[in-house]
Amino acid sequence: MDFGLHLPLMDFGGNPFTLEHLIRYAAAGYELGFRGLAANDHLVYSKPWLDGPTALAAVLSHSGDMDLATTVSLPVVRGPVPLAKSLGAIDRLSGGRLIVCVGPGSSARDYAAVGIPFDERWKRLDEAIQTLRALWNRESTAFKGNFYNTEGIVLEPFPAQESGPPIWVGSWGSTAGLQRVARLADGWLASGYNTTPESFVKNWGQLQAFLLAAGRNPTDFPNAMATMWLYVTEEENDAERMLNEVLAPALNRPAAELRERLPIGSALQCAEKLAAYQAVGVQRIYLWPLADELEQIKIFRKQVVPLMEGRVKHK
């Protein structure tokens, strides 16, 4: 298992929303050995939110050779053609480092903002994925669906990756979601705050069965886990404040549930939580520091990773 980072796009009370801050964070992540850099996507949210694709493009030249990922982007909300255009440019300008993770999004407010019915999100997502593939693949025939049609659309220049960037699908683990991953995706993106090690094992097994049923090889099918909120502190009061006053209200989730699932607490507590995911087959975790982002990723590398490595060697 390796680690990636979410760009700090969301404001929990101290985000300056400056290019300098994004660049310093991306450059530090690369220097510290993180293997991916990810951008989430909302138009409107309960907290101020910097635009994801724009932020990802802004740090391209400071991201070294890290993978770049959208975790997830919203092709239904943004429209698959505009999204294909912008993400295709990011892939080309990055030299083919982009992983496009997509999902329907969980916010009805995003859909209301663009005038699309929220209850159409699943049907539209299936077509949007096929639309992206048709637009990025030089050899593809046009896609014609109920919502989208690529006839006569050529989005040149094409992405750097032949046939376009890999398209992963985000799913919290529902049967329908995992079937969609098996049917349409190049990889599965799970959600840290919606998952436990036990549920991941169950869902990963279900997905492998669905892949086999679809005639696909599950042994080389990749996975990752996003939105793994992080705050390393030896002060219990600080950890509880982050859970109860910062994260739980923003996500509208019970603090007790988040406490169980997320690496928020001492270095040892964080190492134990993440090692549990490593033990059940999670291949990459994208971490999202809740505050003091630069300091937190340094603390993580210096204090948490050695404890994880020690557990692996001990076993």
Side-chain angles (χ1 to χ4, degrees):
M1 186 173 77
D2 63 25
F3 293 98
L5 294 173
H6 285 276
L7 284 171
L9 305 181
M10 189 175 176
D11 184 21
F12 291 108
N15 195 326
F17 290 132
T18 64
L19 180 59
E20 179 186 8
H21 182 59
L22 287 177
I23 287 174
R24 289 178 61 204
Y25 180 83
Y30 173 62
E31 291 170 4
L32 289 166
F34 289 93
R35 297 308 309 143
L37 196 62
N40 281 36
D41 198 7
H42 278 292
L43 300 185
V44 290
Y45 200 69
S46 60
K47 300 285 186 181
W49 193 294
L50 191 65
D51 184 67
T54 302
L56 197 59
V59 299
L60 287 182
S61 59
H62 301 273
S63 58
D65 63 352
M66 287 191 287
D67 294 333
L68 305 172
T70 61
T71 53
V72 296
S73 54
L74 306 177
V76 177
V77 171
R78 291 185 178 268
V81 175
L83 187 67
K85 186 69 174 180
S86 61
L87 295 186
I90 290 174
D91 187 68
R92 190 173 185 90
L93 296 176
S94 69
R97 289 187 282 134
L98 185 63
I99 301 169
V100 176
C101 304
V102 300
S106 58
S107 173
R109 295 175 63 193
D110 284 331
Y111 282 78
V114 296
I116 296 175
F118 190 54
D119 59 4
E120 290 183 0
R121 63 194 185 281
W122 299 110
K123 292 180 180 179
R124 284 180 176 266
L125 177 62
D126 286 359
E127 287 198 10
I129 293 169
Q130 296 172 81
T131 299
L132 292 174
R133 291 197 188 279
L135 291 169
W136 284 333
N137 190 334
R138 296 166 175 79
E139 308 301 325
S140 177
T141 57
F143 171 77
K144 291 183 274 188
N146 294 319
F147 300 103
Y148 310 114
N149 185 342
T150 67
E151 284 185 309
I153 303 174
V154 180
L155 296 186
E156 295 181 307
F158 289 105
Q161 296 182 74
E162 189 173 353
S163 301
I167 300 176
W168 294 29
V169 171
S171 170
W172 292 357
S174 69
T175 297
L178 294 173
Q179 288 174 331
R180 178 175 290 103
V181 173
R183 187 173 70 252
L184 295 173
D186 300 312
W188 173 38
L189 186 72
S191 169
Y193 70 95
N194 292 291
T195 310
T196 65
E198 295 76 17
S199 64
F200 180 86
V201 169
K202 177 184 176 182
N203 295 336
W204 185 231
Q206 286 181 318
L207 176 57
Q208 290 177 316
F210 292 147
L211 288 165
L212 283 172
R216 305 182 66 182
N217 183 3
T219 59
D220 59 3
F221 196 83
N223 71 63
M225 186 170 291
T227 51
M228 187 64 80
W229 306 97
L230 170 78
Y231 196 77
V232 186
T233 176
E234 302 303 316
E235 299 295 328
E236 185 177 351
N237 288 341
D238 286 345
E240 288 302 307
R241 180 177 60 83
M242 284 293 173
L243 283 164
N244 288 283
E245 300 178 19
V246 176
L247 191 57
L251 300 179
N252 194 28
R253 293 296 181 87
E257 179 182 273
L258 300 175
R259 184 184 299 108
E260 175 193 4
R261 298 178 177 185
L262 298 174
I264 298 173
S266 70
L268 180 58
Q269 290 171 326
C270 293
E272 289 175 340
K273 284 190 172 70
L274 294 170
Y277 287 104
Q278 182 176 19
V280 296
V282 177
Q283 297 166 12
R284 171 175 292 171
I285 290 179
Y286 288 97
L287 300 167
W288 193 326
L290 285 168
D292 306 318
E293 295 95 356
L294 286 171
E295 186 63 22
Q296 279 291 308
I297 63 176
K298 293 175 184 176
I299 291 172
F300 175 80
R301 275 296 183 192
K302 183 177 180 180
Q303 298 182 18
V304 177
V305 170
L307 290 173
M308 293 184 63
E309 293 173 347
R311 289 175 62 89
V312 172
K313 289 178 182 177
H314 181 69
K315 291 180 178 179

